[in-house]
Amino acid sequence: MYALAIKKYLEEHGFEALRPRAVLFDMDGVLYDSMPNHAIAWQESMAQQGLQMTADDAYATEGARGVDTIRLMVKRQLGRVIDEAKAQRMYDVKSRIFHSLPEAPVMPGIRELMQKIKASGLQVGVVTGSGQRPLIQRILKDFGDYVDEAHITTAYDVERGKPNPDPYLMGLQKAGSLAPYEAIVVENAPLGVRAGYAARIFTVAVNTGPLPDEELLMAGANLIFPTIQEFCDHWHGLVPLDLF
């Protein structure tokens, strides 16, 4: 299964080999089981602004910069164009609601997976559409054995968020100016998968949300797993111990 997926990826992008030196993780729904809280925060904050947002909307737009999601919703539903400063103020309301909710748990299997990645000699990076300082601090607290702040890409590092390739291209740069075939992306949502695909990086989708697998595959996922734990269990099928 893995050999076929890699072969298809290489042929599609014209690369000779997949030589991973880094794994770039999305945050919400990958490092943390946080999407239910985000869905609540989005629905409540948008309702205060006269906007409708469903839980599925929250999952479908996960990974994009929050201000971009808000500007798009305001334009679609209210027919108005708002500037980034106004969108940021609205996003701040969403952030306050999110941080008032119980802390989202670490995703089962993620620390074990990072340990295997580190043992394989690969770097770990995080590429998130969030820019909230408390969340970045939590990443450093929970995963400081595997990733440092220099390898975390946030919404403030790029002008264009997911599904554009910019966040993952920045992740490659922070990992040491790597080529696309020298990394693996781990995502859980269509916009993030599209961003990994657009950056021409081998993209693993872990479907931890309510969307069907087909949406992730259509977005460009090269492989798909139902949980982080299952991906962890199959890590050495994708990156053999003797690869290096």
Side-chain angles (χ1 to χ4, degrees):
M1 176 178 70
Y2 308 119
L4 182 61
I6 292 171
K7 180 175 183 291
K8 183 179 177 181
Y9 162 78
L10 296 174
E11 289 176 349
E12 183 170 10
H13 295 289
F15 298 139
E16 291 185 2
L18 177 65
R19 301 187 181 97
R21 295 174 55 193
V23 179
L24 305 177
F25 288 93
D26 178 40
M27 180 176 66
D28 292 305
V30 176
L31 302 186
Y32 301 105
D33 190 11
S34 50
M35 284 309 299
N37 283 359
H38 279 291
I40 292 169
W42 272 119
Q43 288 175 283
E44 291 187 5
S45 63
M46 292 302 96
Q48 292 179 22
Q49 304 293 332
L51 297 166
Q52 294 183 345
M53 190 168 190
T54 66
D56 282 356
D57 290 335
Y59 279 91
T61 58
E62 192 270 310
R65 297 195 314 161
V67 292
D68 292 337
T69 296
I70 290 169
R71 294 179 75 184
L72 179 63
M73 292 184 64
V74 169
K75 185 175 181 180
R76 283 181 176 175
Q77 296 188 29
L78 304 180
R80 293 193 284 111
V81 175
I82 61 172
D83 61 22
E84 188 155 329
K86 169 63 174 175
Q88 182 64 55
R89 290 192 292 273
M90 295 169 68
Y91 184 63
D92 289 343
V93 175
K94 182 261 179 182
S95 297
R96 285 196 293 272
I97 295 172
F98 176 82
H99 288 295
S100 73
L101 298 171
E103 189 172 71
V106 171
M107 194 66 76
I110 189 64
R111 288 196 179 97
E112 182 185 353
L113 174 57
M114 286 189 180
Q115 179 57 47
K116 287 185 177 182
I117 291 167
K118 184 177 180 180
S120 297
L122 277 63
Q123 302 176 64
V124 171
V126 176
V127 178
T128 173
S130 175
Q132 299 174 46
R133 191 65 196 169
L135 296 179
I136 306 308
Q137 292 292 348
R138 189 180 178 201
I139 291 173
L140 297 173
K141 175 176 68 74
D142 292 336
F143 305 106
D145 290 340
Y146 310 105
V147 63
D148 58 28
E149 190 160 2
H151 291 82
I152 299 176
T153 300
T154 75
Y156 298 119
D157 289 311
V158 294
E159 292 187 6
R160 301 190 310 165
K162 304 171 186 178
N164 296 291
D166 306 37
Y168 282 111
L169 295 177
M170 179 61 71
L172 291 176
Q173 183 176 327
K174 289 191 175 192
S177 299
L178 301 184
Y181 55 81
E182 293 180 306
I184 294 170
V185 161
V186 184
E187 273 284 355
N188 70 304
L191 292 187
V193 171
R194 286 171 57 191
Y197 176 83
R200 302 194 301 160
I201 304 172
F202 189 90
T203 300
V204 174
V206 182
N207 195 358
T208 59
L211 302 177
D213 287 355
E214 288 72 17
E215 289 200 30
L216 298 172
L217 294 170
M218 288 178 62
N222 299 104
L223 283 175
I224 189 163
F225 292 93
T227 65
I228 287 289
Q229 185 64 60
E230 183 149 340
F231 179 30
C232 176
D233 293 342
H234 290 82
W235 169 251
H236 289 303
L238 179 61
V239 182
L241 285 168
D242 60 355
L243 180 64
F244 305 97

